[in-house]
Structure formats: structure tokens, C-alpha cells
Amino acid sequence: MFCFVLFFGFVAKKVLIVYAHESPASFNAAAKDAAVATLTAQGCTVEVSDLYAMKFKAAATTEDITGGVKDAENFSYAKEIKLASEEGRLADDIKKEQEKLKEADLVIFQFPMYWSYVPAIMKGWMDRVLGFTYAQEKRYSEGIFKDKKAMLSFTTDCPESVYSDTGINGDINVTLWPLQNGILNYCGFQVFAPQIFWDPATGSPESRSSMLEGWRTRLQNLCGEATVYFAPLDYFDKEKGFLLKPEVKEKYASKESGLTVGIHMGKPLPANSQTKARV
């Protein structure tokens, strides 16, 4: 517990694991269980949202808003969900998850990577539970969750080489950019580098055991980790379409690589910027 107290600066720690796998015999289930046991042993309070067991509704629809929508003719989910959130008119399953999120200091998303993304049920959780943040003025480094941390922990069905910068699926850092920047960083989360379990299904029992032990060790030492770097909101000019400010462009003009994966400034991508913390 002491490690987490020192890192986050709070007396009591709460962790939310958003978990998406149907089988309790899966490697994802083992990774989830390892996280629960390790974090609990350190004095953290850990809550798991088991999305399949909960039969969590993935589709973001008007059913998420009680009492009817304000503008049915020109329905906008982001606008309506923001109003419903402010007026306490969200569906009960969304309210319950938002309460868990509000109390959590760290959120871990545990899932198998499907089609280079999260499973539909987890994307539905993000759409519905985080949906109200999309219409907020506070975002990115000024986002409403700027005092919370989050991380992705996931399995793949292929070796690491497939997601390399010369692999057929392309650089994993590019794959992760929409998730880690477009969702987590957008909401304000400070994002730990992801925990990636490369192709555990075809590995030996010993290799899977080693992966889980590495995960436990990382969780025990998470307090010492920095988070992934994202350009702060004040680097961008709101009045000019949120483009990089001239002084920022000038500052980084002589750098060999771009600022981040997405904001690369026409330069080579910074190596491992989504898979390793910038120290």
C-alpha cells in the first residue's frame, strides 16, 4: 500500500478494472485475477466491472437517457448525454459505472485485442460511460479526469513482430494512438504505458506463467513509473483550430522526430512513444 500512497498522494487507493472476456479460463481472466490479488495485497480497494457477466449494453442509444431527449429531430448523442448527466437522467447502468469511475484513482482496461482495437462491449462502455466528457470544454491535459490514471492491459493473437514498424499490422504505437490519446488522454487521464501480452495462446505454460509474474512485478512497482507523454492543451491555439502555436513549432523544428505519434509535424514518429513512458 505504501507505494501507492506515495505515488498518488492519497491515504486510500481505489482501482477499477474494466474487464472484457467471456471465459474465466482465459489468459485475460488470469491477468485480471493477478491484478486484483497483487493490488489488494498492497492495500488497494479493487473493483471489477466484468462486462460480459454484467451483460453490459454496448450500443449508445436514446435508451441511455431517461425522460426523453431534448431534440429528437436532430439527435446528437454527445449533447443529449451531457444534458442528461447534468440533470441526473442517465440510465442506471451508466450511473453505476460512473460512480465506480468517480471513486477510482486508477483504471485498468483488461481485454483481448480484436481487430487492432478493444472488443465491442468495451468500446460500448467507453462510449456510454465516458460519453458525457466528449461535449465538455475541459479535455486533454485539462480534462475532468486529469487527477486519475489509466492503462491498457491486453493480449494479442500474434507475436510482437507483427505489430512492429516493419510488421504487416504496422507499428503498435500507431495502433494505440486513437485509444490512448483519442479516448484516455482526451478525458484527461494520465496514461501508464500499456501492458501487452504477446500471443499467450501459442506460448508454453512456462511462458504464460512468466508473463503473469512480470505483470505482478510491474504492478508492485507501478509507483515508480512515469506516464506516457502527450502534448499539453496549451501547446495549441484554440482560436486557430487547435493548431500548434508558432512558438511551439519553432521550439521543436530542430528535433529529429515529431512531437507525438499523431502530432508528428511531418517528421519521423518518436520511437515507442505510446508503449513507453517519456522520462
Side-chain angles (χ1 to χ4, degrees), residues 99-173:
E99 281 302 310
K100 297 177 189 177
L101 182 58
K102 183 171 67 175
E103 294 180 0
D105 305 299
L106 168 65
V107 184
I108 299 174
F109 295 90
Q110 182 66 57
F111 60 94
M113 181 171 274
Y114 290 169
W115 296 100
S116 296
Y117 210 64
V118 298
I121 199 168
M122 181 170 283
K123 182 54 164 62
W125 187 96
M126 293 172 171
D127 288 347
R128 299 179 66 227
V129 178
L130 302 177
F132 76 101
T133 68
Y134 194 76
Q136 299 282 336
E137 292 185 1
K138 292 183 178 295
R139 47 189 158 174
Y140 294 111
S141 57
E142 297 177 8
I144 62 172
F145 298 137
K146 65 181 181 180
D147 295 324
K148 299 181 184 293
K149 293 179 172 63
M151 70 183 303
L152 306 178
S153 174
F154 61 90
T155 59
T156 70
D157 62 355
C158 58
E160 187 174 2
S161 59
V162 174
Y163 275 104
S164 68
D165 57 3
T166 56
I168 193 168
N169 280 4
D171 190 340
I172 189 66
N173 291 276

Side-chain angles (χ1 to χ4, degrees), residues 198-229:
W198 297 106
D199 198 16
T202 61
S204 66
E206 292 76 18
S207 69
R208 289 191 289 272
S209 178
S210 178
M211 287 181 187
L212 291 174
E213 188 56 35
W215 177 221
R216 294 186 190 97
T217 299
R218 185 182 178 195
L219 288 169
Q220 290 167 354
N221 296 284
L222 201 61
C223 61
E225 288 192 17
T227 51
V228 171
Y229 174 79

Side-chain angles (χ1 to χ4, degrees), residues 39-271:
L39 294 169
T40 300
Q42 294 183 95
C44 296
T45 300
V46 184
E47 188 161 15
V48 177
S49 285
D50 186 338
L51 301 184
Y52 285 105
M54 295 160 56
K55 296 183 172 18
F56 191 82
K57 183 173 81 76
T61 68
T62 56
E63 294 175 359
D64 296 344
I65 300 162
T66 63
V69 300
K70 301 292 186 181
D71 188 353
E73 186 175 347
N74 299 293
F75 177 69
S76 166
Y77 187 84
K79 291 179 181 178
E80 294 284 355
I81 211 72
K82 179 177 182 291
L83 288 171
S85 178
E86 292 170 350
E87 297 171 2
R89 297 187 296 107
L90 295 176
D92 286 342
D93 61 341
I94 297 178
K95 286 181 181 179
K96 289 177 182 177
E97 294 305 298
Q98 288 183 346
E99 281 302 310
K100 297 177 189 177
L101 182 58
K102 183 171 67 175
E103 294 180 0
D105 305 299
L106 168 65
V107 184
I108 299 174
F109 295 90
Q110 182 66 57
F111 60 94
M113 181 171 274
Y114 290 169
W115 296 100
S116 296
Y117 210 64
V118 298
I121 199 168
M122 181 170 283
K123 182 54 164 62
W125 187 96
M126 293 172 171
D127 288 347
R128 299 179 66 227
V129 178
L130 302 177
F132 76 101
T133 68
Y134 194 76
Q136 299 282 336
E137 292 185 1
K138 292 183 178 295
R139 47 189 158 174
Y140 294 111
S141 57
E142 297 177 8
I144 62 172
F145 298 137
K146 65 181 181 180
D147 295 324
K148 299 181 184 293
K149 293 179 172 63
M151 70 183 303
L152 306 178
S153 174
F154 61 90
T155 59
T156 70
D157 62 355
C158 58
E160 187 174 2
S161 59
V162 174
Y163 275 104
S164 68
D165 57 3
T166 56
I168 193 168
N169 280 4
D171 190 340
I172 189 66
N173 291 276
V174 176
T175 300
L176 293 174
W177 175 256
L179 273 171
Q180 295 193 153
N181 177 73
I183 298 177
L184 300 182
N185 181 43
Y186 183 94
C187 292
F189 286 109
Q190 300 171 57
V191 183
F192 283 120
Q195 180 72 22
I196 308 176
F197 300 103
W198 297 106
D199 198 16
T202 61
S204 66
E206 292 76 18
S207 69
R208 289 191 289 272
S209 178
S210 178
M211 287 181 187
L212 291 174
E213 188 56 35
W215 177 221
R216 294 186 190 97
T217 299
R218 185 182 178 195
L219 288 169
Q220 290 167 354
N221 296 284
L222 201 61
C223 61
E225 288 192 17
T227 51
V228 171
Y229 174 79
F230 297 98
L233 190 60
D234 61 11
Y235 272 22
F236 303 89
D237 191 332
K238 180 179 180 181
E239 304 303 320
K240 296 184 178 179
F242 286 98
L243 292 173
L244 278 176
K245 294 177 179 178
E247 59 269 28
V248 176
K249 290 181 67 176
E250 183 178 354
K251 177 181 177 181
Y252 287 91
S254 61
K255 304 289 185 181
E256 292 184 3
S257 61
L259 196 57
T260 62
V261 169
I263 306 153
H264 51 72
M265 304 168 65
K267 299 172 178 283
L269 302 186

Side-chain angles (χ1 to χ4, degrees), residues 19 21-31 33:
Y19 167 66
H21 202 290
E22 287 186 281
S23 173
S26 66
F27 187 89
N28 273 274
D33 291 343

Side-chain angles (χ1 to χ4, degrees), residues 1 4-5 8-13 43:
M1 176 177 181
F4 278 85
V5 169
F8 291 109
F10 298 117
V11 174
K13 297 314 323 141

